[in-house]
């Protein structure tokens, strides 16, 4: 009949796990074959599909979709395939690198017997916990001007948010009305501080207006130019025009607006049995971070391209091991190890960091004669 959790849920209903096959964007990432190429913004939508080139997979333009919408479309009619706003347009703060999210945080409800409150909570990959741990927890700075002080929590005050390494991150999932494809889905990613709330708030409003329904409803996805002011290099204010996304449903009158909202649902209800439709719990399978990392970092955070290689890992250790980890990083640097290799070693030896310090010190003094952690009781050479 099926596989629990893979093809069907615990009630025996089939899961709608849809792969992302079409990327919709308002920008172009750096050219894959040009190290000096930079991402650039567009004021119209483009459509991409994964293509194999040699041993690498790239997003390439899709001529058949472009032919349907024209060369530079600024409006698209999109249809949602889920009732949950968090599946239609998930958002978070994220520090994207070409290997995935180094750190990501989102709004979490906290209940402690009183009225519920909300706060940002983050998960970060560290040398001690490559799989990720709550951030910042009890971590403190181990070097720099803030040495010994607690690291700021996720949100306002976070140094990486203020530096631009981290930022808002949102994805909109839909199918195109003029180029529908059941069994797959489109995805649009944005890191704009204006576009992210525009899309998220519009989805939330539509969800509220429709009594908790979003599935099979359609809206108009738009991109328009807006003027923005920002401090210039010499302290003077400078202006620039940037593309901004919005999601809208309109009508000449309020009655017409309500009719426009209801229309897709009526068509869908007439085509399928509502009882069967209500029992389904569809959701979208998004690409893995390993797949998405190079794309998102290259297109939206080019300054993070080599972030993992540049970090020593010393500033993200817990207080109890701060000095020890700083010493390990120092020894690794003297041995000429790259930061990536140091992180791997710390991850492998995280249960015995003292042993790792001895190993590195021994290599520095006498050469690499100490065995790997799986064979610590014997020497590997004579």
């Amino acid at each position: 009949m099926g596989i629990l959790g893979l093809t069907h849920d615990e009630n025996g209903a089939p899961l709608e796990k849809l792969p992302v096959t079409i990327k919709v964007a308002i920008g172009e990432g750096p050219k894959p074959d040009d190290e000096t190429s930079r991402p650039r913004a567009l004021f119209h939508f483009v459509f991409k599909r994964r293509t194999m080139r040699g041993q690498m997979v790239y997003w390439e333009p899709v001529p058949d979709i472009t032919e349907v919408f024209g060369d530079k479309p600024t409006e698209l009619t999109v249809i949602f395939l889920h009732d949950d706003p968090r599946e239609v347009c998930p958002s978070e703060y994220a520090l994207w690198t070409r290997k995935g999210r180094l750190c990501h945080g989102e709004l979490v409800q906290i209940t402690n017997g009183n009225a519920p409150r909300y706060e940002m909570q983050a998960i970060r990959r560290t040398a001690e916990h490559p799989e990720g741990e709550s951030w910042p927890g009890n971590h403190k700075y181990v070097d720099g001007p803030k040495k010994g002080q607690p690291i700021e929590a996720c949100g306002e005050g976070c140094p990486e948010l203020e530096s631009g390494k981290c930022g808002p991150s949102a994805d909109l999932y839909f199918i195109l009305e003029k180029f529908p494809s059941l069994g797959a889905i489109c995805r649009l990613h944005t890191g704009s501080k204006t576009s992210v709330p525009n899309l998220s708030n519009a989805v939330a409003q539509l969800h509220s207006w429709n009594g908790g329904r979003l599935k099979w409803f359609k809206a108009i996805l738009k991109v328009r130019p807006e003027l923005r002011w920002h401090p210039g290099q010499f302290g003077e204010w400078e202006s620039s025009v940037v593309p901004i996304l919005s999601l809208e449903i309109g009508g000449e009158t309020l009655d017409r607006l309500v009719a426009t909202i209801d229309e897709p649902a009526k068509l869908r209800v007439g085509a399928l049995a509502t009882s069967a439709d209500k029992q389904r719990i569809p959701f979208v399978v998004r690409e893995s971070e390993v797949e998405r990392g190079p794309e998102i970092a290259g297109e939206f955070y080019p300054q993070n391209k080599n972030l993992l290689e540049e970090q020593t890992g010393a500033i993200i250790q817990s207080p109890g091991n701060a000095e020890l980890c700083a010493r390990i990083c120092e020894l690794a640097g003297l041995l000429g190890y790259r930061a990536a290799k140091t992180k791997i070693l710390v991850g492998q030896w995280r249960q015995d960091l003292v042993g790792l310090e001895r190993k590195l010190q021994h290599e520095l003094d006498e050469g690499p004669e100490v065995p790997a952690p799986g064979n610590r009781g014997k020497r590997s050479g004579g």
Side-chain angles (χ1 to χ4, degrees), residues 75-89:
E75 296 186 8
L76 305 174
T77 301
V78 300
I79 300 173
F80 306 127
L81 296 183
H82 203 292
D83 283 331
D84 189 342
R86 295 168 297 182
E87 293 292 341
V88 172
C89 187

Side-chain angles (χ1 to χ4, degrees), residues 9-332:
D9 64 17
E10 62 275 9
N11 297 316
L15 298 171
E16 295 183 11
K17 297 185 176 182
L18 306 178
V20 174
T21 58
I22 300 297
K23 169 186 173 182
V24 180
I26 55 171
E28 294 282 2
K31 297 178 180 178
D33 303 325
D34 186 354
E35 287 293 328
T36 63
S37 176
R38 301 284 294 178
R40 61 189 180 94
L42 300 174
F43 293 87
H44 61 272
F45 294 104
V46 293
F47 310 93
K48 303 289 184 73
R49 182 181 285 133
R50 285 191 181 94
T51 302
M52 193 78 162
R53 188 191 302 172
Q55 297 299 314
M56 301 295 292
V57 177
Y58 298 101
W59 289 98
E60 299 283 5
V62 187
D64 50 345
I65 300 182
T66 302
E67 185 177 352
V68 171
F69 290 94
D71 291 335
K72 297 181 178 180
T74 58
E75 296 186 8
L76 305 174
T77 301
V78 300
I79 300 173
F80 306 127
L81 296 183
H82 203 292
D83 283 331
D84 189 342
R86 295 168 297 182
E87 293 292 341
V88 172
C89 187
S91 60
E92 63 183 359
Y93 276 137
L95 198 167
W96 280 97
T97 72
R98 61 188 181 88
K99 294 184 179 179
R101 296 174 302 174
L102 178 64
C103 188
H104 62 101
E106 60 184 2
L107 194 64
V108 176
Q109 180 177 326
I110 307 298
T111 55
N112 56 4
N114 300 320
R117 60 184 179 86
Y118 294 85
E119 67 179 34
M120 293 295 293
Q121 291 187 359
I123 300 294
R124 183 171 181 136
R125 297 202 305 268
T126 65
E128 291 176 315
H129 296 278
E131 75 286 356
E133 63 172 306
S134 296
W135 187 257
N138 295 320
H139 291 239
K140 298 180 180 179
Y141 290 96
V142 298
D143 56 17
K146 293 186 177 181
K147 183 176 181 179
Q149 298 180 28
I151 296 176
E152 292 85 354
C154 181
E156 186 177 352
C158 170
E160 284 163 338
L161 183 63
E162 294 180 351
S163 71
K165 292 179 182 178
C166 178
S169 178
D171 294 288
L172 188 69
Y173 293 95
F174 53 88
I175 59 174
L176 297 164
E177 183 190 40
K178 288 187 178 181
F179 204 94
S181 178
L182 293 180
I185 201 164
C186 303
R187 179 257 294 162
L188 179 144
H189 179 86
T190 178
S192 164
K193 293 181 180 179
T194 303
S195 295
V196 169
N198 280 358
L199 298 181
S200 179
N201 294 343
V203 169
Q205 185 185 48
L206 181 58
H207 182 260
S208 175
W209 264 67
N210 285 286
R213 296 175 299 161
L214 284 171
K215 188 178 180 182
W216 302 112
F217 285 91
K218 63 182 180 181
I220 308 299
L221 181 62
K222 297 183 179 182
V223 57
R224 64 180 185 277
E226 285 194 5
L227 185 66
R228 288 288 185 269
W229 290 89
H230 54 86
Q233 183 178 359
F234 303 104
E236 298 180 354
W237 284 89
E238 298 178 354
S239 65
S240 59
V241 180
V242 297
I244 297 297
L245 293 164
S246 64
L247 194 63
E248 304 173 15
I249 293 180
E252 296 82 0
T253 65
L254 184 59
D255 289 341
R256 181 55 190 158
L257 173 62
V258 174
T260 301
I261 292 175
D262 283 343
E263 183 179 354
K266 291 177 180 177
L267 293 175
R268 181 61 183 164
V269 169
L272 293 177
T274 56
S275 59
D277 195 50
K278 287 180 179 178
Q279 290 177 0
R280 288 195 174 181
I281 309 175
F283 60 93
V284 176
V285 170
R286 289 174 276 279
E287 309 99 316
S288 70
E289 289 187 28
V290 174
E291 291 178 309
R292 300 196 61 189
E295 171 200 345
I296 301 300
E299 190 169 336
F300 294 88
Y301 299 97
Q303 71 274 25
N304 294 353
K305 180 178 178 182
N306 298 313
L307 184 61
L308 291 181
E309 286 75 9
E310 294 171 354
Q311 286 187 335
T312 64
I315 65 166
I316 57 174
Q317 303 308 316
S318 58
N321 292 321
E323 294 184 6
L324 179 58
C325 288
R327 175 61 178 160
I328 288 171
C329 291
E330 178 185 357
L331 292 171

